[in-house]
Amino acid sequence: MLALGALAGVLQPRRRLGTWLFVALGVLSAAAALTRPDAGPVSALPTLAAVAAGSLTLRTILPSRSRFDPVEMSIRGRRDVNPPAQTPSDPVRRTLLTAGALTAAGGGLAYLGMRLGAGTAGSATPFALPAPARPLPPLPAGLEATVPGLSALRTPVADFYRVDTALVLPRIDAANWRLRIDGDVDRHIELTFDDLLAMPMVEADITLNCVSNPVGGEYIGSTRWLGVLTRDVLARAGVRATADQILSTSQDGMTISTPVAALTDARGALLAVAMDGKPLTREHGYPVRMVTPGLYGYVGATKWLTRLTATTYAAEKAYWSTRGWAEQAEVKTQARIDVPRRGETVAEGQVVVAGVAWSQAHQGISRVEVRVDEGPWQEAELGPDVGGHYWRQWRWTWEAHTGGRRLTARATDGEGTIQSSEIAEPAPDGASGLHMVNVRVN
Ligand SMILES: Nc1nc2c(c(=O)[nH]1)N[C@H]1C(S)=C(S)[C@@H](COP(=O)(O)O)O[C@H]1N2
Ligand SMILES: [Mo]
């Protein structure tokens, strides 16, 4: 924006091209703002104000060409036998002062706007969480207490990764929130937030991960969710047998498609209202989001959910399906090494190697093995079992000998299948390959 502002200033003396540049950018950004799904006529106001401010600024600091005419200025300078060095009436000085004041005012306003916008970023109106019909026992203590650097068994909400297309977080008032269920169903229905909370509440420990997570990456988090079963909600509308996809829509227009089967089978897909014992934060989908065990977030975890449409994969394509990502994608089994870190130098002797592993689509983790360089695979000790939809911590004690070493981990799922060692990029349906970490032993 600074560069464009400077460009406008340079262009302005030529037929007021600077003003036209502002107008052109204004039209472009007003169009962008007005075509947002939740836009109203006022969405164009900030842009109009910006164009007006920009043009006014150009007029104020570059009033006309002649004042900057170098010839005129030099004549004026010669005429002043004893020029009052730099009076405020000096056009250059006045221009600089005006421009400086306007820049400061603009910066202040921008800062104020950001503060106002961010003021409620994390907070949403709290509500009393209903009790689950069958509460789960508390989560067991994880291995992180004894292994510094290991991912906590339960990811704190503040550390939970965030991935979405929302430039501005949707601001939803739970009291006005409605969930529309339509498409190929027996009855089109609409649920209020209270309707939802009145249904049987379910607690579930589920690990969520992003399809764009590279091998060893950070786009994964695990927590205890509270919500209603997606299948209970869909049953109220009666999804017809001809539908194979539920297209879910977020307040901001983002769409995600999920197989009907994944939302209605025994895995227990949820419409969640809380994570880690507290209402969802705005970042994570307040007031209601989907959580579908075994599927990557982009095909099962719609945040700011407002609509469920029963349809078919042949008829409707979701946001990412038209942008190079697979229409359907199950989470791939993976093991990640958290400690030691890549490039770390460790002391010779006993070194704890530890991490997490997950296989939400294949009954959780039954084994994790580690090897040093091309050595034999050695079985790691597993942390507490929180169920097949949740990641599992692991740790292994290594007798480390000096030199550059490569640690590799691999997981075996609950069905006995070893994870794929074939290297695949995240696109189109999730990364695969073994996580390797190079360390130095001294
Ligand atoms: N409305 C909406 N929901 C969304 C997305 C989005 O862009 N918009 N991104 C999805 C993706 S790609 C992932 S991985 C998860 C991430 O959820 P989190 O940000 O709560 O961790 O949300 C999913 N739900
Ligand atoms: Mo994602």
Side-chain angles (χ1 to χ4, degrees):
M1 285 175 59
L2 274 177
L4 285 168
L7 182 66
V10 170
L11 290 176
Q12 184 66 355
R14 276 176 235 150
R15 299 157 171 240
R16 300 189 182 281
L17 276 181
T19 305
W20 286 111
L21 177 67
F22 280 153
V23 170
L25 290 170
V27 168
L28 203 73
S29 76
L34 287 171
T35 50
R36 301 282 307 162
D38 46 0
V42 291
S43 306
L45 275 185
T47 304
L48 291 180
V51 172
S55 316
L56 216 72
T57 305
L58 283 177
R59 284 186 75 108
T60 315
I61 64 177
L62 302 172
S64 72
R65 240 198 114 150
S66 60
R67 280 215 214 166
F68 287 90
D69 191 325
V71 179
E72 200 217 322
M73 281 168 119
S74 65
I75 292 168
R76 219 181 58 93
R78 252 184 272 140
R79 265 198 227 122
D80 289 332
V81 183
N82 189 9
Q86 295 267 300
T87 61
S89 62
D90 180 311
V92 176
R93 182 174 159 85
R94 200 175 53 213
T95 300
L96 281 178
L97 279 176
T98 315
L102 282 172
T103 307
L109 278 176
Y111 178 73
L112 204 77
M114 270 163 59
R115 283 293 300 268
L116 283 176
T120 48
S123 58
T125 321
F127 55 88
L129 287 182
R134 262 175 290 118
L136 293 175
L139 264 189
L143 299 182
E144 69 270 20
T146 57
V147 185
L150 173 62
S151 301
L153 186 58
R154 177 193 330 230
T155 312
V157 175
D159 299 344
F160 209 99
Y161 81 98
R162 176 185 161 205
V163 171
D164 54 60
T165 57
L167 290 178
V168 178
L169 282 176
R171 202 178 289 272
I172 302 176
D173 178 2
N176 297 329
W177 176 85
R178 296 286 182 278
L179 176 63
R180 192 142 54 101
I181 306 176
D182 57 11
D184 198 7
V185 291
D186 294 334
R187 300 163 289 281
H188 287 201
I189 60 170
E190 220 175 60
L191 298 179
T192 66
F193 195 58
D194 285 340
D195 291 339
L196 201 74
L197 294 193
M199 296 176 70
M201 284 284 145
V202 174
E203 264 184 334
D205 297 317
I206 300 167
T207 293
L208 180 65
N209 38 2
C210 184
V211 68
S212 57
N213 198 27
V215 171
E218 305 279 342
Y219 295 150
I220 178 164
S222 300
T223 196
R224 175 162 292 181
W225 307 88
L226 175 76
V228 303
L229 289 173
T230 311
R231 67 162 179 263
D232 287 354
V233 173
L234 289 175
R236 288 202 167 187
V239 176
R240 299 218 177 109
T242 37
D244 62 3
Q245 179 207 160
I246 299 293
L247 185 77
S248 49
T249 309
S250 137
Q251 163 91 3
D252 65 358
M254 162 81 182
T255 53
I256 279 179
S257 59
T258 312
V260 171
L263 298 178
T264 51
D265 67 15
R267 78 184 70 194
L270 291 181
L271 302 190
V273 297
M275 65 195 285
D276 199 10
K278 285 176 289 294
L280 296 176
T281 58
R282 285 184 59 212
E283 286 84 348
H284 295 293
Y286 179 89
V288 181
R289 75 169 304 164
M290 295 171 56
V291 181
T292 308
L295 301 185
Y296 289 115
Y298 86 111
V299 284
T302 315
K303 304 193 273 189
W304 313 294
L305 179 70
T306 57
R307 185 175 173 193
L308 295 169
T309 306
T311 178
T312 62
Y313 278 98
E316 298 274 3
K317 302 257 177 278
Y319 185 86
W320 288 116
S321 308
T322 58
R323 289 168 172 82
W325 296 85
E327 275 190 341
Q328 303 199 31
E330 278 190 342
V331 173
K332 295 180 182 176
T333 304
Q334 282 277 310
R336 182 178 80 190
I337 303 171
D338 287 347
V339 284
R341 298 239 156 237
R342 176 160 53 109
E344 199 174 315
T345 301
V346 297
E348 194 181 22
Q350 292 204 333
V351 173
V352 175
V353 180
V356 285
W358 56 89
S359 178
Q360 301 98 303
H362 297 280
Q363 318 279 340
I365 294 297
S366 61
R367 189 189 307 136
V368 172
E369 294 157 292
V370 185
R371 73 172 178 183
V372 182
D373 299 329
E374 299 304 305
W377 288 105
Q378 316 214 37
E379 193 159 345
E381 173 198 345
L382 294 180
D385 183 0
V386 188
H389 297 146
Y390 208 77
W391 67 12
R392 195 116 186 222
Q393 295 171 316
W394 57 268
R395 118 181 111 191
W396 177 68
T397 307
W398 171 31
E399 282 296 336
H401 299 294
T402 47
R405 305 279 172 217
R406 165 175 292 177
L407 296 164
T408 308
R410 71 174 185 192
T412 301
D413 68 27
E415 296 158 5
T417 308
I418 297 174
Q419 74 171 89
S420 169
S421 54
E422 196 181 309
I423 296 172
E425 294 295 310
D429 64 357
S432 68
L434 305 183
H435 190 209
M436 298 174 187
V437 165
N438 292 323
V439 295
R440 180 104 245 122
V441 183
N442 273 349

